[in-house]
């Protein structure tokens, strides 16, 4: 046996152990089926960090079988592939039946670091595909791969990405593209919509079975509570409040916050038409099919709250309505507390003062009025000279109105005077929370173009290296911190992405 591998306890593909606890739930929860074969698959991207999580030896990515396995052409012993059924509120309207229309759950890898669902996304039609072809295109697979790892590096709970396998098989979208399969991993892919399915069908025994399953697998500490189902709701509310506060603080827009895209674990799931805000706009809409702006940036907290109402409603067979409403009412405060703490850190404020909320809101208004680049502004804010404005030109250059900037800078300086410590110490703290690098659409787009047009996957690798150290200066990578060149067309992203 290879000693390095033995030391790490990492396994060869065939040595991985799998279980599928979801597959032990009643048959009404899923359909067992095999992935649809993908012709001539090849490896496009591999993420060693995710391999470590499931206990897979990194060198295994070099084997010919690897691409065959992670596009679904070949099954490993212990795989138990199935597509889960769920429902959901899409753009406010209830859809009684949805499901894994293009993903297949292979099972849970049961390595040293817990149980990890392995899901193939783009692995062919299932009974829940509706009119879809069951495929994902290379473009959207690269977008999800990069975004989920970038979010993880920012400290935001998310599904992770193991690899992308490509094929020359054509797939028709707005243009003709090629197929790919993304393998993603997460402790669970159960969604709010999984509960909504059974409650809308009045299958209360299944609602209970699912709630019991989620508690046993993911919230075992709630088992002993007097009211475990109510506590489950409270936990999901708390985690979702924290998650959305994190999204808001880094300027992440999900784009399609339907209840079937909301995780019961409070992690970011189903990356589609997402975007990181560049020129700051409260009402930024990243999904070009979201005409009404239902999922605009400033709507995300409200929508999360609305989605949690849907979840609570589906749990009503198990919990008391007044207590559920009380739990839901706590969302706003939990979101605000989390958001305020994250934003105070972004502003370099270690203490809390009554006027902080107003200062932070007015700063965002300053950014909004100039459409100043959100990430750049906060990174440069770390260099703010509290003694004089002479050195604050790089920050001032992001704001159109000179007088407005001067008034704001004077106010921020007064606030900083209430803080202990030096400018240098504050900058060091701020650089740990204000990323220099986020996944800008044009960066993803250039990696996609190289991959799709030239089969050159090096830009995916390079971008991944930059994005997984978002707080480090990485002097040679300055270009990756820049917004798109003015006038360059932003790629449109939609649900079909
Ligand atoms: P989304 O909002 O992108 O998460 O997708 C909503 C629903 O549509 C999910 O149930 C997906 O499984 C399904 N879906 C999306 N794209 C496809 C596709 N190409 N083929 C089959 N089903 C799809
Ligand atoms: Mg989805």
């Amino acid at each position: 046996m290879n000693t390095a591998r033995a030391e790490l306890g990492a396994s060869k593909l065939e040595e991985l152990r799998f279980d599928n606890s979801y597959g032990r739930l009643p048959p009404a929860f899923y359909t067992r089926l095999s992935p649809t074969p993908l012709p001539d698959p090849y490896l496009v991207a591999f993420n060693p960090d995710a391999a470590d999580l499931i206990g897979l030896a990194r060198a295994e990515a070099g084997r010919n079988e690897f691409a065959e396995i992670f596009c679904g052409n070949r099954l490993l012993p212990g795989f138990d592939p199935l597509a889960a059924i769920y429902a959901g509120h899409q753009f406010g309207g209830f859809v009684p039946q949805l499901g894994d229309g293009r993903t297949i759950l292979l099972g849970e890898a049961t390595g040293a670091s817990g149980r990890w669902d392995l899901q193939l996304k783009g692995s062919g039609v299932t009974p829940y595909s509706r009119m879809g072809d069951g495929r994902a295109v290379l473009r959207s697979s690269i977008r999800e791969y990069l975004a989920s790892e970038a979010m993880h590096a920012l400290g935001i709970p998310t599904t992770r990405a193991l690899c992308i396998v490509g094929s020359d098989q054509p797939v028709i979208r707005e243009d003709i593209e090629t197929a790919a399969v993304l393998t993603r991993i997460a402790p669970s892919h159960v969604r709010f919509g999984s509960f909504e399915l059974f409650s809308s069908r009045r299958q209360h025994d299944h609602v209970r079975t699912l709630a019991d399953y989620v508690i046993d697998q993911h919230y075992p500490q709630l088992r002993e509570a007097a009211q475990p189902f109510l506590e489950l709701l409270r936990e999901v509310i708390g985690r979702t409040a924290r998650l959305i506060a994190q999204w808001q603080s880094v300027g992440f827009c999900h784009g399609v916050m339907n209840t079937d895209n909301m995780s019961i674990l409070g992690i970011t799931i189903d990356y589609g038409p997402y975007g990181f805000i560049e020129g700051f706009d409260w009402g930024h809409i990243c999904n070009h099919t979201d005409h009404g702006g239902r999922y605009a940036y400033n709507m995300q907290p409200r929508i999360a709250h609305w989605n949690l109402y849907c979840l609570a409603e589906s749990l009503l067979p198990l919990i008391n309505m007044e207590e559920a409403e009380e739990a839901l009412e706590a969302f706003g405060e939990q979101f605000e507390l989390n958001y305020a703490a994250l934003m105070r850190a972004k502003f370099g404020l270690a203490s809390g003062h009554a006027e902080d909320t107003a200062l932070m809101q007015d700063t965002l208004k300053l950014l909004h009025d100039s459409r100043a680049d959100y990430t750049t502004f906060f990174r440069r804010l770390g260099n703010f000279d509290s003694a004089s404005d002479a050195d604050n030109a790089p920050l001032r250059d992001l704001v159109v109105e000179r007088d407005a900037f001067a008034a704001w800078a004077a106010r921020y300086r007064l606030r900083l005077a209430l803080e202990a410590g030096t400018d240098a110490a504050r900058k060091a703290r701020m650089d740990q929370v204000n990323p220099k690098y986020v996944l800008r659409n044009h960066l993803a787009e250039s990696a996609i173009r190289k991959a799709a047009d030239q089969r050159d996957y090096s830009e995916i690798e390079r971008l991944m290296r930059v994005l997984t150290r978002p707080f480090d200066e990485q002097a040679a990578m300055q270009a990756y911190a820049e917004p798109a060149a003015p006038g360059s067309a932003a790629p449109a992203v939609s649900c079909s992405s």
Side-chain angles (χ1 to χ4, degrees), residues 374-449:
Y374 185 77
T375 304
T376 309
F377 181 88
F378 279 101
R379 188 71 179 186
R380 289 189 188 170
L381 189 64
N383 297 322
F384 189 86
D385 185 338
S386 65
S388 118
D389 259 346
D391 290 330
N392 292 327
L395 194 63
R396 189 177 61 219
D397 288 347
L398 297 172
V399 176
V400 176
E401 284 274 343
R402 289 294 151 113
D403 293 346
F405 180 85
W408 170 85
R411 195 171 157 197
Y412 184 51
R413 180 169 297 115
L414 276 176
R415 176 61 186 84
L416 289 182
L418 303 176
E419 293 285 313
T422 61
D423 279 5
R426 190 182 67 251
K427 175 181 164 52
R429 280 201 318 273
M430 290 170 78
D431 281 358
Q432 295 304 304
V433 294
N434 292 325
K436 175 158 179 176
Y437 301 99
V438 293
L439 181 55
R440 298 171 183 276
N441 267 340
H442 77 276
L443 298 176
E445 196 58 23
S446 84
I448 290 165
R449 288 275 55 90

Side-chain angles (χ1 to χ4, degrees), residues 86 90 99 102 121 184 191 254 256 258 260-262 269-271:
Y86 46 84
Q90 299 195 317
R102 54 169 166 173
K121 183 165 179 179
R184 65 181 179 187
R191 301 132 192 283
H254 183 282
V256 57
N258 294 332
D260 52 302
N261 292 336
M262 298 289 293
I269 187 171
D270 279 10
Y271 292 86

